[in-house]
Amino acid sequence: KNEVEQSPQNLTAQEGEFITINCSYSVGISALHWLQQHPGGGIVSLFMLSSGKKKHGRLIATINIQEKHSSLHITASHPRDSAVYICACQRANTGTASKLTFGTGTRLQVTL
Amino acid sequence: DAGITQSPRYKITETGRQVTLMCHQTWSHSYMFWYRQDLGHGLRLIYYSAAADITDKGEVPDGYVVSRSKTENFPLTLESATRSQTSVYFCASREDSWETQYFGPGTRLLVL
């Protein structure tokens, strides 16, 4: 079993829909990252959070440390949100490097 | 321009050849990372560096060599390329544990 599991693997939505992507992890973490990878391949960091909730525009990320679970929500989805969304756990007790362990990603396609 | 760059962006080589992938960042970030991304796997850490002249192995280091003589550069060398090293390689940098990680655009490597 992977240490970081994402669901669903693939998601198709219509423009305007509310989208939720889930991430569960089994290791101790100091922070969790959500990343976005566009079809061109570039990877952009969306959020880094260690507790609670963060919001940026139409994107909201939440984390429940006790349940070892995080969600990424997209409100009023748009075709430009089509991308692969990657959850990455910053492992605790790995020294100052705080290496990341990545999920395999959720491929989101938003259609008109 | 400020940021993190990788070169070449695309590379085709033959088995047994030595290949060096370059990574350059302009922020003077302390930490730099090399990842590979393959279908069915999340990003996997090959090597990382906490500062100039300090490097350490990641999850999949076999067949790779790194060096970091200057803070801004972190080249990755495949000493004798194998077909299993066909992948997309991402370089990333970060200032410290509590900062966002920034990714380069990636190098797509094909080993024939």
Side-chain angles (χ1 to χ4, degrees), chain B residues 33-66:
Chain B
F33 306 84
W34 273 108
Y35 299 97
R36 60 178 290 173
Q37 186 178 40
D38 305 288
L39 215 57
H41 293 275
L43 287 151
R44 291 181 290 175
L45 180 64
I46 305 170
Y47 269 95
Y48 67 98
S49 169
D53 298 321
I54 301 175
T55 62
D56 207 348
K57 295 178 181 179
E59 186 184 349
V60 288
D62 293 344
Y64 303 96
V65 173
V66 293

Side-chain angles (χ1 to χ4, degrees), chain A residues 1-5 24-26 101-104, chain B residues 40 42:
Chain A
K1 191 176 188 292
N2 292 336
E3 293 175 338
V4 181
E5 297 272 0
S24 296
Y25 55 91
S26 58
T101 300
F102 296 82
T104 54

Side-chain angles (χ1 to χ4, degrees), chain A residues 90 94-100, chain B residues 31 33 48-50 94 96-97 101:
Chain A
Q90 187 164 312
T94 55
T96 55
S98 296
K99 297 186 284 283
L100 299 181
Chain B
Y31 293 95
F33 306 84
Y48 67 98
S49 169
R94 190 183 79 217
D96 61 34
S97 300
Q101 196 160 122

Side-chain angles (χ1 to χ4, degrees), chain A residues 36-104:
Chain A
Q36 180 190 55
Q37 184 171 26
H38 271 284
I43 299 173
V44 174
S45 179
L46 298 174
F47 295 103
M48 176 181 171
L49 64 166
S50 55
S51 66
K53 177 178 172 179
K54 285 192 176 180
K55 184 175 189 289
H56 182 71
R58 295 179 295 105
L59 301 178
I60 303 166
T62 64
I63 188 168
N64 184 319
I65 297 292
Q66 286 72 32
E67 293 187 4
K68 294 189 173 180
H69 182 269
S70 175
S71 293
L72 177 68
H73 305 285
I74 305 175
T75 61
S77 60
H78 189 276
R80 65 173 173 267
D81 297 325
S82 298
V84 175
Y85 292 84
I86 301 169
C87 169
C89 291
Q90 187 164 312
R91 303 187 65 164
N93 304 319
T94 55
T96 55
S98 296
K99 297 186 284 283
L100 299 181
T101 300
F102 296 82
T104 54

